[in-house]
Amino acid sequence: MKINDNCVGCGQCTSFCKQEAIEVKGKAKITAACVECGICSFYCPVKAIEVPM
Amino acid sequence: MKTIVIGAGLGGLLSAARLSQAGYQVEVFERLPLTGGRFTNINFRGFQLSTGALHMLPHGPAGPLAQFLKEVKADVIIVRADRPTIRLPLKKHHPDYRHGFKDIAFSEFTKPLSHKDRLKIALLVVSTRKNRPTGSSLQTWIRTQFKDEWLVKFADSFCGWSLSLKSDKVRVEEIFEIIESMYRFGGPGVPIGGCKAVIDALEAVIFANGGRIHTRAEVSQILVENGRATGVVVGNETYRADLVISNLGHAATACLCSEALKEKIYADYIRMLKTLQPSAGIKICLAADEPLIGYSGVLLTPYAKRVNGINEVTHVDPKLAPPGKHLTMSHQYVAPENVKSLENEIDSGLNDLKEIFPGRKYEVLLIQSYHDNWPVNRAASGTDPGNETPISNLYVVGDGAKGKGGIEVEGVALGVAAAMKKIIG
Ligand SMILES: Cc1cc2nc3c(=O)[nH]c(=O)nc-3n(C[C@H](O)[C@H](O)[C@H](O)COP(=O)(O)OP(=O)(O)OC[C@H]3O[C@@H](n4cnc5c(N)ncnc54)[C@H](O)[C@@H]3O)c2cc1C
């Protein structure tokens, strides 16, 4: 998962992450716990999460 | 009449409920998998946090939103919160809360002033109801009337909490409109079940009236023919409609029909769009075993460096937190020049909370910031450009098109009501 500059830090993604792999403070940060499931990206209201192909 | 609503935020769903009630054939398209936009619940470790709002309706069970919900027969229980309070330093000359504090009722806001200033306020309360001040910012107006900086501090915390603006960015006309609404409708309330209860109730109305809501359906274009909106494009599909309502604010709506708006006759509208300033803010969500505030009223904190106010909604609806826990949320305004240093703003907010709740035990659940394309307010309060667009049959609703004097979702409801009046009559 890559967080781009669109991120405002609203934290919506983290509440939908089953792995608790997103920390938010002004901006989202993906931690090592991420399994790249990509679910968070659907919930981002500003298209800030890019799923690697 | 076939109607398409773009966006299932509060503004979009209020419109869809009203139009479907009036017999319009309504279809709502929402980009995200969830509806409600910045006004719904998100479950975070058993706490009902929210995508935006602090689970508070600025004018509670009697306000414009509550009235609108009643009119469309959306079933929501809204409970009036306790009266707001203001936290002051123990001694007037203390610059912050570090040496202790005392709380006074919101209605006693003149208490820190001299007798002379209090008398002046009493007179202004009467005279300004007839003769509304105009033509300046709230801050400038206060400074022309009073020397005591307390009133500016108080105004900043009130405006920061309720509008995510500083008093120098709020037109005095807007604030007097808000004061009038406070007289008329009273103070804040909490919907039982939080923001999502409002969204669920509106969806039930829309479905009962035969309307449809599609999620994960992003509108990529608004079709315009001869200056008229005729439908939208979603994925590879074209959907035709007689009426298009956009919940995205004026600027984002214009992006969806930018080709059509290139014509010269729209230049003034495009120029106006560039002047719109969204307002930014930070919400810090706290969990505590023992209540931090102890009542459901807003606690304004004018002597904190950044935090403008705090609420504890679990006194109205304990189910917004796991059993035995409390959910406490602070809000702070972020100045446009500080959006680039959000981490510092957050650290200041966290420090404020330590001073406001010294020695108290709480856990920081989630820190949520909002600006630019996902702001607290798409159009800073008092600058909303109305619901109409230069494209006929294309209307804008939501917090980019609020009604006058309506704080946040009350403004959204007033704006939708005005748009519906134009459309349905
Ligand atoms: C931190 C914070 C605290 C707040 N506190 C309060 C409070 O306590 N009380 C209060 O009254 N108000 C509060 N507000 C304000 C309130 O949340 C907003 O005024 C309100 O939610 C705005 O609703 P809306 O319908 O205008 O927009 P939104 O909720 O943003 O809805 C727009 C919808 O459109 C969707 N969308 C976007 N683009 C497309 C597209 N191309 N196609 C399809 N769908 C699309 C979005 O996903 C979204 O769901 C707060 C806001 C914030 C951020």
Side-chain angles (χ1 to χ4, degrees):
Chain A
M1 292 308 113
K2 191 179 159 253
I3 309 288
N4 68 30
D5 285 344
N6 288 351
C7 179
V8 298
C10 75
Q12 199 149 305
C13 51
T14 185
S15 71
F16 291 99
C17 174
K18 297 209 168 35
Q19 315 298 326
E20 297 196 14
I22 310 176
E23 287 167 7
V24 188
K25 191 181 177 190
K27 219 172 164 22
K29 209 174 89 195
I30 308 284
T31 71
C34 175
V35 296
E36 313 249 323
C37 69
I39 285 176
C40 54
S41 69
F42 299 122
Y43 288 93
C44 175
V46 289
K47 298 189 188 175
I49 308 179
E50 294 169 17
V51 186
M53 282 297 157
Chain B
M1 269 264 256
K2 174 104 187 56
T3 302
I4 284 172
V5 177
I6 311 171
L10 181 66
L13 294 177
L14 286 170
S15 309
R18 182 75 187 89
L19 289 166
S20 64
Q21 184 192 41
Y24 288 58
Q25 199 191 329
V26 180
E27 208 153 352
V28 184
F29 293 99
E30 166 58 49
R31 190 178 84 74
L32 295 175
L34 76 165
T35 54
R38 285 165 288 149
F39 199 78
T40 191
N41 301 9
I42 43 178
N43 188 323
F44 192 82
R45 298 192 205 144
F47 288 82
Q48 294 301 310
L49 305 189
S50 103
T51 50
L54 291 98
H55 295 312
M56 264 200 164
L57 311 187
H59 298 298
L65 178 60
Q67 282 175 25
F68 196 106
L69 293 170
K70 240 179 246 149
E71 276 163 31
V72 298
K73 301 193 168 60
D75 198 9
V76 190
I77 300 166
I78 300 161
V79 176
R80 180 86 68 188
D82 297 326
R83 287 172 199 283
T85 49
I86 308 169
R87 182 153 293 185
L88 298 176
L90 209 49
K91 299 248 161 61
K92 198 177 172 191
H93 63 273
H94 289 162
D96 52 38
Y97 302 123
R98 257 180 286 179
H99 303 284
F101 48 77
K102 60 181 176 210
D103 296 343
I104 59 167
F106 184 83
S107 54
E108 296 175 316
F109 75 94
T110 60
K111 227 178 171 176
L113 296 171
S114 68
H115 280 296
K116 204 172 137 224
D117 280 349
R118 281 159 79 170
L119 191 66
K120 187 161 183 192
I121 290 210
L123 294 173
L124 279 169
V125 165
V126 180
S127 64
T128 53
R129 280 197 92 173
K130 286 209 187 76
N131 252 323
R132 295 260 192 102
T134 54
S136 72
S137 75
L138 172 61
Q139 191 179 92
T140 305
W141 180 78
I142 293 175
R143 289 207 166 120
T144 58
Q145 302 286 339
F146 300 93
K147 287 222 164 58
D148 198 317
E149 275 298 294
W150 156 245
L151 286 172
V152 172
K153 250 186 174 0
F154 171 59
D156 279 341
S157 86
F158 177 77
C159 294
W161 168 263
S162 55
L163 310 172
S164 224
L165 291 173
K166 223 174 137 127
S167 63
D168 62 352
K169 289 283 172 339
V170 181
R171 291 181 192 164
V172 68
E173 291 90 330
E174 182 70 8
I175 219 70
F176 275 88
E177 200 70 53
I178 287 173
I179 294 171
E180 200 57 41
S181 293
M182 281 162 64
Y183 285 127
R184 207 180 312 153
F185 308 124
V190 177
I192 299 297
C195 301
K196 188 168 185 292
V198 175
I199 298 303
D200 287 347
L202 286 170
E203 288 189 354
V205 169
I206 295 164
F207 294 141
N209 293 333
R212 291 166 66 181
I213 301 171
H214 308 271
T215 51
R216 293 190 66 177
E218 176 174 358
V219 171
S220 58
Q221 199 191 336
I222 297 171
L223 301 170
V224 179
E225 284 160 36
N226 303 322
R228 263 176 97 84
T230 56
V232 299
V233 178
V234 179
N236 298 324
E237 303 270 344
T238 295
Y239 295 83
R240 296 267 160 199
D242 307 301
L243 176 68
V244 178
I245 313 271
S246 168
N247 189 196
L248 316 185
H250 282 272
T253 303
C255 287
L256 293 179
C257 47
S258 51
E259 273 305 311
L261 287 172
K262 272 191 182 140
E263 282 182 46
K264 235 191 177 149
I265 46 165
Y266 303 128
D268 282 348
Y269 181 66
I270 300 290
R271 216 168 296 131
M272 179 280 293
L273 295 181
K274 295 205 172 103
T275 65
L276 295 174
Q277 253 294 355
S279 53
I282 295 167
K283 173 175 63 173
I284 302 179
C285 308
L286 308 177
D289 291 335
E290 295 296 324
L292 298 172
I293 297 181
Y295 46 83
S296 62
V298 178
L299 175 68
L300 291 179
T301 52
Y303 281 84
K305 282 195 187 60
R306 287 291 188 272
V307 169
N308 304 120
I310 312 172
N311 71 5
E312 203 159 70
V313 285
T314 32
H315 296 290
V316 172
D317 185 359
K319 291 217 170 80
L320 295 171
K325 300 267 184 192
H326 281 279
L327 171 61
T328 312
M329 294 178 282
S330 70
H331 183 78
Q332 66 193 76
Y333 146 86
V334 176
E337 64 273 20
N338 291 336
V339 166
K340 59 182 185 308
S341 43
L342 274 182
E343 284 208 41
N344 294 340
E345 293 295 294
I346 290 169
D347 287 336
S348 301
L350 290 169
N351 271 335
D352 281 345
L353 292 170
K354 278 189 202 147
E355 281 185 20
I356 295 165
F357 302 125
R360 308 295 292 277
K361 267 208 182 121
Y362 57 83
E363 182 197 348
V364 177
L365 281 171
L366 190 62
I367 301 166
Q368 300 173 274
S369 47
Y370 300 82
H371 57 91
D372 292 293
N373 289 331
W374 201 242
V376 180
N377 249 318
R378 286 220 177 82
S381 287
T383 67
D384 298 76
N387 304 98
E388 276 162 306
T389 70
I391 309 281
S392 60
N393 291 343
L394 173 64
Y395 292 83
V396 173
V397 295
D399 71 347
K402 296 181 294 301
K404 245 201 214 150
I407 302 176
E408 315 263 5
V409 295
E410 306 293 6
V412 172
L414 287 173
V416 172
M420 294 305 116
K421 204 159 187 191
K422 284 194 186 108
I423 295 166
I424 304 170

